Amino acid sequence: MSRQTGRGTETKKVSAELFTLTYGALVAQLIKDYESDEEVNKQLDKMGYNIGVRLIEDFLARSSVGRCHDFRETADVIAKVGFKMFLGITPTVANWSPAGDEFSLVLDNNPLTEFVELPDGHQNLNYSNLLSGVLRGALEMVQMEVDVTFLQDALKGDNTTEIRLKFIRRLEDALPAGEE
Amino acid sequence: MADEALFEFLHMEVVSYLFKTADEEKCIPILENMGYRVGHSLAERFTRDSSRFKDELDIMKFICKDFWTSVYKKQVDNLRTNHQGVYVLQDNRCRVLTQISASKQYLEAAPNYLAFPCGLIRGALANLGISCIVTAEVQNMPACKFQIMIQRSQ
């Protein structure tokens, strides 16, 4: 019975690791499939987008967050509710542009890269690019077109991971989901 | 803590990506290998602080209870064995199948979604010192039987 003790508490952690490891296996597969890092980034973004357009439903259903009044509120909801719910972290919202249409999410620790070291020769790979796609897809479903880029990546030796979100425009009609 | 919805969506994306890009007969082994890799690492981390397993059956129980719960939020419903190296794990509501329509229509697609879980089991068992072949069988969605055939070294 001694083995049983302590296992329950680890269950939650293990399920986070399940996601992290599965994602790692996916990136490894993509690197095998594509010649260039740019292609891998693009594919990760596309898959993230497909996840994002569906994940938003789950998010809205469970968070009971209402309509955001401005982009600042959106930023807070993404960081404090969205990231908290799905990845268990709360990035810092920082570096607002003067016009208030651009901000950064600063991740002190990134659960996706927990077991990762980038091998040489992949300087252009945005390992966590799935996140950009997820954010883009999810926001598109609430009528916001945004541009998401990685400004800094701790994997590449930067101090933190910084994701930049730029508001492009308000979409008038929701686009059909599931399109690539 | 990663939410399970996120993992489910990721898994679906991986399956759909592979079937769009790779040859059909290659997809299943690729998925299985990804599962193997993940299961192998998970079992390693999962049993870090635990004492030694008593025997093979003890390991199987671990897979059915702790391992399955952490991955799919439920236990395996039934474990059977012929005591000659074959184990059958029955999951009456297999998490990867519950999101698919339960009609016969998608029965053909079920193996695509079960390759990863098969690999998970094989990987976890390999880490615990059991080499085996894992196959899945679906008769009625979303119930699924995983058959584990232990490979004894000569």
Side-chain angles (χ1 to χ4, degrees), chain B residues 35-54:
Chain B
Y36 178 88
R37 203 178 137 154
V38 174
H40 197 271
S41 319
L42 270 185
E44 177 77 24
R45 305 188 66 79
F46 208 41
T47 54
R48 196 172 37 192
D49 301 319
S50 62
S51 53
R52 194 179 284 270
F53 287 102
K54 219 166 55 214

Side-chain angles (χ1 to χ4, degrees), chain B residues 1-19:
Chain B
M1 186 208 89
D3 186 82
E4 65 251 38
L6 194 56
F7 170 70
E8 261 175 42
F9 287 144
L10 180 70
H11 176 244
M12 286 183 209
E13 269 317 303
V14 172
V15 173
S16 94
Y17 160 74
L18 282 175
F19 279 86

Side-chain angles (χ1 to χ4, degrees), chain A residues 76-89:
Chain A
D76 275 345
V77 170
I78 292 171
K80 291 184 186 140
V81 190
F83 269 79
K84 183 88 199 141
M85 183 186 283
F86 294 113
L87 289 176
I89 53 164

Side-chain angles (χ1 to χ4, degrees), chain A residues 3 7 33 54 62 180, chain B residues 3 13 17 20 50 66:
Chain A
R3 200 178 56 244
R7 254 193 210 150
D33 288 356
R54 284 180 279 174
R62 282 200 283 162
E180 291 190 321
Chain B
D3 186 82
E13 269 317 303
Y17 160 74
K20 253 183 260 170
S50 62
D66 306 69

